[in-house]
Amino acid sequence: MSDDIVFVCTADDCEQGPWEGSHDAMAHCAEFPEHGYTGRPRDEVNEVIPATATRKRDNRNLQHKGHPKGALAQDD
């Protein structure tokens, strides 16, 4: 992600944001069905909310869920 891009809510009456991290914008917009977000150049907005820390997740193939090697499993 570029440091030159921040994320803003695209809903007309929304005063939340802008966010440094897309995951923060996504979390906000997921709470409201009519909201969405998009990236904007940092120099177009003021007072950016710093990104929150994210946890590393295992996004490997769920077909092997529960197997210690996950998607790297050959025969399970």
Side-chain angles (χ1 to χ4, degrees):
M1 170 174 37
S2 170
D3 290 338
D4 297 331
I5 299 294
V6 295
F7 299 89
V8 297
C9 183
T10 57
D12 291 334
D13 298 330
C14 185
E15 299 293 327
Q16 300 293 315
W19 298 272
E20 191 174 58
S22 61
H23 53 278
D24 294 310
M26 185 185 317
H28 162 75
C29 294
E31 296 178 18
F32 307 97
E34 67 278 2
H35 288 213
Y37 68 95
T38 189
R40 289 275 191 272
R42 184 180 287 270
D43 57 4
E44 288 184 7
V45 297
N46 298 321
E47 298 183 39
V48 175
I49 299 170
T52 57
T54 56
R55 290 180 291 147
K56 186 173 181 179
R57 295 184 352 192
D58 184 359
N59 290 330
R60 295 178 290 182
N61 189 341
L62 293 179
Q63 174 183 354
H64 299 285
K65 186 174 181 179
H67 192 286
K69 291 187 177 180
L72 303 176
Q74 296 300 314
D75 5 308
D76 53 340

